[in-house]
Amino acid sequence: MENSLNFVSSARWTTGKSGVTAGRDVQPSIHFSAPPEFQGEPGVWTPEHFFTSAIATCFITTFQAIATFSRFSAAALDVSVEGTVEKVEGGYRFTRVVVRPVLTVQNEADRERGIRLLEKSEKACLISRSLSSEVILEAKVLESSAVATV
């Protein structure tokens, strides 16, 4: 892999506090708006959703890469990310990000290894490593047989 990679996205204002964003060589384009708290459209993707989604998707792809390299097979991985925005000196900013992965393993023997791989993923995730806000990992590991009985 090269020492430097470039990823390009663009956005175009369409009306009000809304627009369309696209990534180079990526489809489809995505309609976005400011959040309703900032007089945007309700029910539409916002930059804040993109931010937390970038962390969640990066965590999953990083985990998959580490798990593959480690020859670890997970039954499932779901990640939610909660970002807290606060008004600070100079304006609003994300002050805290909580990453909540829920890893489902094949059996109890895989639990500890799964936790270690989740912790490695949090440290290796390109997006969260690039943030200046606090990033907190709150991981859960479930056994697949326990999930089926719920």
Side-chain angles (χ1 to χ4, degrees):
M1 181 170 7
E2 297 179 33
N3 287 335
S4 176
L5 303 169
N6 291 313
F7 297 89
V8 178
S9 294
S10 61
R12 179 175 40 87
W13 173 69
T14 55
T15 184
K17 293 193 175 188
S18 299
V20 176
T21 185
R24 184 190 303 161
D25 302 324
V26 181
Q27 291 298 324
S29 297
I30 302 170
H31 177 73
F32 70 90
S33 176
E37 295 83 356
F38 296 111
Q39 291 73 52
E41 290 179 54
V44 177
W45 278 91
T46 69
E48 295 77 9
H49 288 109
F50 293 139
F51 177 82
T52 56
S53 292
I55 297 167
T57 57
C58 182
F59 190 96
I60 287 175
T61 57
T62 301
F63 178 86
Q64 289 298 355
I66 291 171
T68 298
F69 181 78
S70 302
R71 300 178 197 267
F72 180 83
S73 180
L77 176 60
D78 295 292
V79 178
S80 69
V81 174
E82 179 181 354
T84 301
V85 173
E86 294 180 298
K87 190 170 187 175
V88 296
E89 188 176 320
Y92 288 95
R93 72 181 291 268
F94 279 94
T95 56
R96 177 179 162 107
V97 174
V98 180
V99 180
R100 295 185 179 102
V102 177
L103 176 66
T104 303
V105 295
Q106 301 296 333
N107 55 61
E108 183 62 30
D110 292 334
R111 177 181 297 274
E112 287 304 313
R113 192 163 171 228
I115 290 171
R116 285 193 311 275
L117 294 177
L118 289 170
E119 290 169 347
K120 282 184 179 181
S121 299
E122 189 269 329
K123 288 176 179 50
C125 174
L126 167 68
I127 303 299
S128 59
R129 287 177 2 135
S130 301
L131 303 176
S132 63
S133 58
E134 179 183 17
V135 177
I136 297 166
L137 176 69
E138 292 182 356
K140 283 185 188 177
V141 177
L142 304 177
E143 185 180 339
S144 60
S145 61
V147 173
T149 60
V150 174

